[in-house]
């Protein structure tokens, strides 16, 4: 997986750093974490194709993580996207989108599924939700009215994510799974963990030939985990020709948050922990008050989680040069990287 | 007045052109026409101070003219703006802002007055409005709650703008007046005209000395239009020492719109008519269908209005090089300029 920070500034953009958004790219597709204002411009600068975007994950509804959503969704509409898109995040997104659709601010004419997750403790959100459209898109013939700005948005329900040790699966494919858990911010916020499923081991061609397996369909069946029977009656097992299963990579995304057990749980043994570091440690009290972390706190989370590397981001604009944040984190967790807009980090 | 296009692309941004927004700067303050996504970044690039922004005028609620509002308003909140700001535009803005405030997306802690204008024909908007706060800000002591994200927004009512020959004053100061009238788009849209009030003529110091007027308070009184009486009994009139009144400059802003009488009325004899030119004339039918103008149509509006100069903007992304749009307009109205992001045009 390749991580591309698209915005690394906290609260408001600067001329060097946009507000929060991070792309996580895999083979042929990518995921978006948060969508601050102007994210669609950063996507273009990074050379990412909006058509290959599979899902958007929003941590919380503060504008600097969310204000770019309307523009990105509408631009994909103008560009005649046809692929379904999934939008995952806290409650309130469907109310927001339904207001925008009603006022004609939004233009979405492709299937958009909105999944909202809350926590048992903040269930107060329930009941405020608005169903933009009942059922699955395509169930009724699409209308062709000129002002039909958002006909394919549908809300697929609200589920709670646990606040105990568990993680909740919020999105999955054959290749990876995304789990979530609430963080500790001053507004309900979700952290995410993307984990690739293990892949079969490498196929040992030399060994297969030694065993006299004919090239062709039997190779595929062994690679997909099935036994094959040769003409001479011998049964070959996948483990005879495949190396050990290859572990997938994993990335966790924890912002905005105070240091909390959820971040440790989400970041457990990940290849890359993306954690906010809004302030330096001399501003720890301010960090606590506004629901943020210092660079030292982010580093201690990475240490406790056993993460392989830490990428700090979401820097207060009071640090035009964030070098002190990196220095502070590295003193505790040496494998720390400082996020820059549009850099690329391999997980 | 100095006009600074901040975004000149139609529908979606490109890497060279942001979406719609235009600054109109005067002595010590400036006005903003439209506020597409990333306008706050363009404002920073242009070196404009958000604290000197007096009022925002929205033409219509399509996202490419409106999606930057939430971020700009919130950034001024983070930057501890104290000055009142006025927001003028079509109905729906207060509903939008109240939804954002409820969801904590928006952060406005300075006085923000929202004025909505509709037309008699589209009065269907009335009744959908939500009062974010009753009365003037400051009437009740400000609360200090941590999550008090938008305490000072108030909605000062909805008024109709005429569709006949008249213009409606939507904003005014001692120095200038802003008038509005509905355009002809596929969504209710307002055009604007900013007109400086005439200033007194230049004070002729030599003539004043010849007349024996003592330097001091009498000079000020003459400059402000009052007669003065000298010690010898002679009465001096302002016209004795002042040149002819100096006409103010005027600018009209007409986008998005089909060519229409409103644009001619708003642009009558202006120093600079800013008019959309989304397409070339071979796409006139597409322009009509989507509520836009061709460059040739914009030029004919400028000609009919007797505008001194025309600035065309809002170019479809199908024109990476908009030179054909300029050529088409200049053939009809030679004093046409092609808008570029961050250029400066004196009215």
């Amino acid at each position: 997986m390749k991580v591309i920070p698209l915005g690394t500034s906290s609260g408001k953009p600067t001329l060097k750093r946009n507000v929060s958004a991070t792309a996580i790219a895999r083979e042929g597709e990518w995921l978006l974490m948060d969508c601050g204002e102007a994210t669609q411009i950063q996507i273009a600068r990074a050379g990412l194709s909006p058509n290959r975007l599979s899902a958007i994950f929003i941590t919380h509804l503060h504008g600097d993580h969310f204000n770019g959503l309307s523009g990105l969704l509408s631009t994909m509409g103008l560009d005649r996207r046809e692929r379904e898109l999934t939008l995952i995040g806290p409650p309130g997104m469907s109310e927001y989108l339904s207001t925008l659709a009603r006022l004609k601010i939004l233009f979405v004419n492709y299937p958009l599924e909105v999944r909202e997750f809350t926590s048992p403790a903040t269930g107060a959100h329930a009941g405020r939700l608005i169903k933009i459209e009942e059922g699955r898109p395509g169930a009724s013939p699409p209308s062709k009215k000129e002002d039909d700005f958002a006909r394919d948005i549908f809300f697929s329900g609200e589920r709670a994510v646990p606040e105990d040790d568990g993680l909740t699966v919020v999105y999955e494919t054959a290749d990876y799974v995304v789990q979530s858990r609430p963080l500790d911010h001053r507004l309900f916020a979700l952290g995410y963990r993307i984990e690739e499923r293990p892949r079969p081991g490498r196929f040992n061609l030399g060994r297969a030939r030694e065993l006299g397996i004919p090239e062709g369909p039997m190779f595929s069946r062994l690679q997909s985990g099935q036994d094959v029977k040769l003409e001479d009656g011998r049964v070959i097992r996948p483990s005879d020709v495949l190396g050990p299963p290859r572990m997938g990579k994993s990335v966790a995304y924890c912002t905005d948050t105070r240091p909390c057990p959820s971040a440790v749980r989400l970041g457990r043994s990940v290849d890359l922990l993306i954690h906010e570091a809004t302030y330096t440690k001399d501003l720890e009290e301010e960090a606590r008050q506004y629901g943020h972390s210092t660079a030292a706190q982010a580093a201690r989370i990475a240490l406790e989680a056993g993460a392989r590397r830490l990428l700090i981001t979401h820097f207060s604009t009071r640090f035009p040069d964030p070098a002190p944040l990196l220095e502070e984190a590295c003193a505790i967790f040496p494998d720390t990287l400082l996020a820059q807009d549009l850099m690329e980090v391999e997980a």
Side-chain angles (χ1 to χ4, degrees), chain A:
Chain A
M1 284 191 285
K2 195 168 66 181
V3 169
I4 306 160
L6 300 172
T8 58
S9 179
S10 161
K12 58 181 179 173
T14 70
L15 291 179
K16 285 190 178 167
R17 296 180 183 274
N18 203 42
V19 282
S20 290
T22 297
I24 301 180
R26 294 188 69 262
E27 299 143 10
E29 68 166 337
W30 59 285
L31 307 175
L32 179 61
M33 300 278 140
D34 281 330
C35 191
E37 183 176 359
T39 292
Q40 65 169 314
I41 299 171
Q42 297 294 79
I43 287 169
R45 286 203 181 113
L48 291 160
S49 162
N51 202 43
R52 294 188 170 213
L53 173 60
S54 300
I56 303 174
F57 300 81
I58 301 292
T59 58
H60 65 299
L61 297 192
H62 280 155
D64 60 320
H65 294 249
F66 190 64
N67 278 331
L69 187 66
S70 171
L72 175 59
L73 294 180
S74 297
T75 290
M76 290 190 283
L78 289 171
D79 287 344
R80 301 173 199 274
R81 180 189 174 105
E82 294 185 355
R83 269 188 74 195
E84 176 163 335
L85 180 71
T86 305
L87 173 64
I88 287 159
M93 297 192 306
S94 61
E95 179 180 351
Y96 170 84
L97 292 175
S98 71
T99 300
L100 265 57
R102 191 168 55 247
L103 296 172
K104 315 290 187 206
I105 296 166
L106 190 71
F107 180 63
V108 174
N109 55 355
Y110 50 88
L112 174 65
E113 178 181 349
V114 182
R115 300 181 193 164
E116 296 186 342
F117 290 86
T118 186
S119 74
T122 54
H125 290 288
R128 267 228 318 266
L129 298 167
I130 295 163
K131 286 201 182 187
I132 296 174
E133 186 174 317
E134 298 280 344
R136 301 281 305 183
S140 56
S143 103
K144 296 284 180 199
K145 283 193 301 181
E146 190 192 66
D147 65 346
D148 190 18
F149 272 77
R151 63 176 163 83
D152 278 343
I153 304 174
F154 63 104
F155 170 60
S156 66
E158 179 182 334
R159 266 198 301 158
V161 287
E163 294 192 324
D164 58 13
D165 194 50
L167 300 180
T168 294
V169 174
V170 294
Y171 186 78
E172 62 183 320
T173 72
D175 297 325
Y176 59 92
V177 59
V178 184
Q179 296 171 295
S180 182
R181 202 177 155 181
L183 298 170
D184 178 19
H185 192 40
R186 66 184 194 280
L187 186 66
F188 177 70
L190 291 162
Y192 296 101
R193 175 190 175 100
I194 303 99
E195 192 162 359
E196 291 178 324
R197 299 184 198 275
R199 290 181 296 164
R202 289 185 201 283
F203 191 84
N204 187 332
L205 192 62
R207 178 81 184 122
R209 283 175 178 153
E210 279 171 26
L211 291 168
I213 309 168
E215 290 197 31
M218 283 190 185
F219 277 27
S220 308
R221 280 163 56 200
L222 285 162
Q223 278 174 312
S224 69
Q226 300 170 55
D227 294 351
V228 298
K229 192 172 182 179
L230 303 186
E231 283 190 356
D232 60 13
R234 279 182 299 145
V235 172
I236 309 292
R237 301 219 154 71
S239 57
D240 295 333
V241 293
L242 297 179
R246 286 169 287 176
M247 291 306 295
K249 297 286 187 179
S250 55
V251 173
Y253 183 76
C254 298
T255 185
D256 294 353
T257 190
R258 299 181 183 97
C260 65
S262 274
V264 176
R265 180 69 187 83
L266 287 160
R268 181 90 67 215
S269 305
V270 286
D271 292 286
L272 186 68
L273 169 63
I274 306 167
H275 197 289
E276 72 134 285
T278 308
Y279 300 106
T280 43
K281 60 188 174 190
D282 54 308
L283 297 164
E284 189 172 314
E285 174 49 28
E286 189 161 339
R288 195 201 57 74
Q289 185 185 349
Y290 290 106
H292 291 300
S293 300
T294 67
Q297 288 170 331
R300 280 193 289 270
I301 294 289
L303 201 62
E304 195 180 339
R308 192 164 66 81
R309 284 197 295 172
L310 168 66
L311 179 67
I312 54 173
T313 187
H314 198 267
F315 311 125
S316 165
T317 54
R318 78 179 71 188
F319 302 107
D321 173 11
L325 294 154
L326 182 63
E327 196 179 330
E328 180 177 311
C330 281
I332 294 163
F333 189 84
D335 287 329
T336 302
L337 300 166
L338 187 84
Q340 305 285 1
D341 287 23
L342 306 181
M343 78 192 295
E344 296 191 4
V345 183
E346 287 290 338

